[in-house]
Amino acid sequence: MRNLLSIEDLSAQEIVDLLDLAQSFETVQQRDVPKVPALRGKTIVLAFFEDSTRTRTSFDLAARRLSADLVNFSAGSSALKKGESLRDTIETIDAMGINAIVIRHASSGVPRQITRWTNASVINAGDGWHQHPTQALLDAYTIRKRIGSLAGKRIVISGDIKHSRVARSNVQAFAKLGAMITLVAPKTLLPPTLNGWPVTVSANLDEALEGSDVMYLLRIQHERMGQSLLPSLREYRTKYGLTTERANRLGSDCVIMHPGPMNRGVEIDPEVVDDPRVAVLEQVAAGVSVRMAVLFKTLGPGQFDRSEESDPVDRADSRSASEGGQT
Ligand code: CP
């Protein structure tokens, strides 16, 4: 795998392979020294042009745990402030000899665009409303870990679908893995067309949540709303929020998810956040293992090959031993 730009580019088998690889890397993180030398000598640039806590930190940790060299590019203190173009910025970074750029940008399509300006691998860490592929992978990983294969599972995604790159990439990933997806949102927070989306749509959360295996709540994205699309946040909570009363009607094994950051009291009641069915912090933890898998798959020597019988983590370790590396 050269780049990771969109879930659209992955087959179901490639998604499963990445989740299996992430599982191997989860075991690495349970060691006393949670590190392998698989990407020793590789240089990864984190270029976040939009704010992030989870994605940026977990890519940073993932790169360090694979022993890569890491550069945190800060757009706010770069020559972009002097008017340098994005293209010149990327070509300048590329000229320094890097192996991968992990990029988050407010404009859809920027990660694919920059593949024309760099020979490095490009990994999409979220672009506009378009895609957030590693979020979809870590969410699929979390669901699989909690309740097994996604095939045939009933997943409800509720909230601001229109502005959500998480919704777009998660729908594609969950559908490829065989899940049945229902979107719940007010009309103003749905895209103008859902042609080609493998989903059913409902405006009634109370009906949709009956018998669901996963209740996935999306964030109300105040920063992407050009105009008021909701009468009030209070009304939103009443119709679309996971209130304590609604949570009580979910099954005991239902997985309650949110990509973060949560608007407590809007998408989810504060009392519900502590419910053991809520997997938000498991999602965050899965982010490190999944991003290790994505970096290894794009940059690892002899990338993961399912035809090889040994575990990829063992191979990464033995390769290091033969190179005299340290873990
Ligand atoms: N889920 C997610 O992308 O969170 P951050 O914005 O904190 O990276």
Side-chain angles (χ1 to χ4, degrees):
M1 187 169 82
R2 170 75 189 271
N3 304 307
L4 178 59
L5 304 175
S6 169
I7 292 293
E8 278 171 310
D9 301 334
L10 298 176
S11 67
Q13 187 59 55
E14 285 171 320
I15 293 173
V16 170
D17 288 347
L18 277 165
L19 302 189
D20 290 345
L21 187 53
Q23 205 170 327
S24 299
F25 283 124
E26 188 179 321
T27 64
V28 167
Q29 296 189 78
Q30 289 155 359
R31 297 179 184 171
D32 291 342
V33 180
K35 199 163 178 172
V36 288
L39 296 189
R40 205 154 49 87
K42 303 288 184 188
T43 302
I44 297 168
V45 176
L46 304 186
F48 278 61
F49 296 85
E50 259 194 347
D51 295 340
S52 168
T53 297
R54 282 147 279 266
T55 312
R56 182 174 196 136
T57 308
S58 58
F59 265 116
D60 187 314
L61 279 172
R64 290 177 201 277
R65 288 176 182 174
L66 291 167
S67 305
D69 294 322
L70 192 66
V71 177
N72 265 288
F73 170 79
S74 169
S77 58
S78 74
L80 283 159
K81 288 280 181 194
K82 301 178 197 168
E84 188 164 41
S85 69
L86 180 63
R87 178 175 181 162
D88 286 341
T89 301
I90 297 298
E91 288 181 348
T92 298
I93 294 170
D94 181 69
M96 295 182 204
I98 59 162
N99 301 103
I101 301 180
V102 178
I103 184 163
R104 169 171 286 192
H105 202 283
S107 298
S108 300
V110 163
R112 201 174 289 279
Q113 173 81 7
I114 72 165
T115 60
R116 302 190 189 111
W117 305 330
T118 177
N119 290 317
S121 290
V122 177
I123 297 166
N124 184 356
D127 62 328
W129 305 358
H130 177 226
Q131 279 279 318
H132 194 349
T134 56
Q135 179 73 44
L137 293 170
L138 74 88
D139 286 334
Y141 184 90
T142 303
I143 295 169
R144 196 177 79 158
K145 193 171 170 190
R146 274 273 185 120
I147 55 173
S149 165
L150 276 70
K153 296 291 191 311
R154 294 189 53 194
I155 299 180
V156 175
I157 302 178
S158 172
D160 182 359
I161 312 288
K162 178 175 181 166
H163 301 98
S164 177
R165 55 195 174 210
V166 175
R168 284 168 182 76
S169 38
N170 282 26
V171 163
Q172 289 171 0
F174 296 167
K176 283 184 186 207
L177 295 175
M180 296 176 295
I181 304 155
T182 303
L183 303 181
V184 183
K187 264 200 170 138
T188 51
L189 293 184
L190 284 170
T193 172
L194 287 165
N195 282 347
W197 289 52
V199 296
T200 54
V201 181
S202 168
N204 188 325
L205 182 58
D206 292 302
E207 281 175 14
L209 62 74
E210 294 297 335
S212 60
D213 297 296
V214 176
M215 180 71 237
Y216 198 104
L217 305 161
L218 293 169
R219 184 171 70 89
I220 291 296
Q221 302 197 36
H222 308 280
E223 76 277 18
R224 295 195 207 280
M225 290 190 190
Q227 67 216 38
S228 177
L229 298 173
L230 294 171
S232 71
L233 292 180
R234 194 169 155 180
E235 187 171 320
Y236 179 87
R237 172 191 168 270
T238 304
K239 280 188 158 173
Y240 301 100
L242 188 61
T243 59
T244 306
E245 188 277 329
R246 287 195 177 106
N248 287 341
R249 289 173 31 227
L250 293 171
S252 57
D253 292 333
C254 183
V255 190
I256 301 170
M257 303 177 75
H258 192 299
M262 289 181 279
N263 294 306
R264 291 176 189 238
V266 182
E267 300 104 40
I268 185 165
D269 278 6
E271 304 75 37
V272 178
V273 175
D274 296 326
D275 188 299
R277 292 169 297 176
V278 172
V280 169
L281 294 179
E282 287 164 54
Q283 292 170 259
V284 173
V288 182
S289 306
V290 162
R291 287 165 179 136
M292 286 175 82
V294 167
L295 292 173
F296 186 79
K297 192 86 172 167
T298 45
L299 296 180
Q303 300 166 21
F304 181 49
D305 179 353
R306 289 194 69 79
S307 65
E308 292 185 46
E309 284 176 13
S310 63
D311 183 282
V313 174
D314 288 345
R315 281 189 278 123
D317 268 346
S318 60
R319 186 176 301 114
S320 129
S322 67
E323 291 172 357
Q326 299 291 313
T327 58

